[in-house]
Amino acid sequence: MDDGNKARTVASTNMNEQSSRSHAVFSLLMTQTFFDPATQAGNEKVSKLSLVDLAGSERAGKTGAEGDRLKEGSNINKSLTTLGLVISNLADNAGGGKRSKQSFIPYRDSVLTWLLKDNLGGNSKT
């Protein structure tokens, strides 16, 4: 985790002296194997735990960002918007009733939502 944290870009903006310029995702995959000697059958239970540190959304005018910092802020905002859309569509689909058709979940629209797909959908606990 330390290596990943060291690789993160941090820069100052008008709003924050130590602004994180990226999201951080630490995923831990655990597999538990069961064996029943009576039936000679094996079984596995797989769990995925993701710890996420999201960079905050930014208004370009207030931060005074230019060049690379402006582009980073734009990418941060895009991924946060996509995360919001994914969560909203998942909530709409889970609610049932209102919509006759399941709405599309845009997991592939950002790297963040693609990485968190298993944590957000299916039988996950969030």
Side-chain angles (χ1 to χ4, degrees):
M1 239 175 13
D2 285 337
D3 290 342
N5 208 26
K6 288 175 189 171
R8 291 181 80 182
T9 303
V10 176
S12 65
T13 66
N14 289 348
M15 294 185 69
N16 190 349
E17 193 175 304
Q18 295 257 327
S19 178
S20 167
R21 311 307 300 160
S22 62
H23 306 303
V25 178
F26 178 76
S27 294
L28 184 62
L29 189 65
M30 298 165 282
T31 305
Q32 183 178 15
T33 305
F34 301 94
F35 181 74
D36 184 0
T39 62
Q40 296 293 312
N43 200 357
E44 275 188 351
K45 185 187 288 187
V46 179
S47 297
K48 182 178 180 182
L49 173 71
S50 293
L51 304 175
V52 182
D53 179 17
L54 297 174
S57 64
E58 300 184 346
R59 298 205 182 273
K62 288 186 177 183
T63 61
E66 297 175 342
D68 286 344
R69 300 294 163 250
L70 183 61
K71 189 174 180 181
E72 288 167 352
S74 174
N75 288 336
I76 289 167
N77 289 345
K78 180 182 181 242
S79 66
L80 291 173
T81 299
T82 303
L83 179 60
L85 287 171
V86 166
I87 292 170
S88 178
N89 287 355
L90 286 168
D92 288 346
N93 288 350
K98 276 191 171 183
R99 292 186 177 191
S100 60
K101 184 173 134 178
Q102 296 280 312
S103 61
F104 174 73
I105 311 298
Y107 291 116
R108 291 185 179 186
D109 287 359
S110 96
V111 174
L112 177 65
T113 53
W114 180 78
L115 287 172
L116 296 176
K117 180 180 179 183
D118 293 338
N119 301 95
L120 295 169
N123 67 349
S124 65
K125 305 280 188 221
T126 303

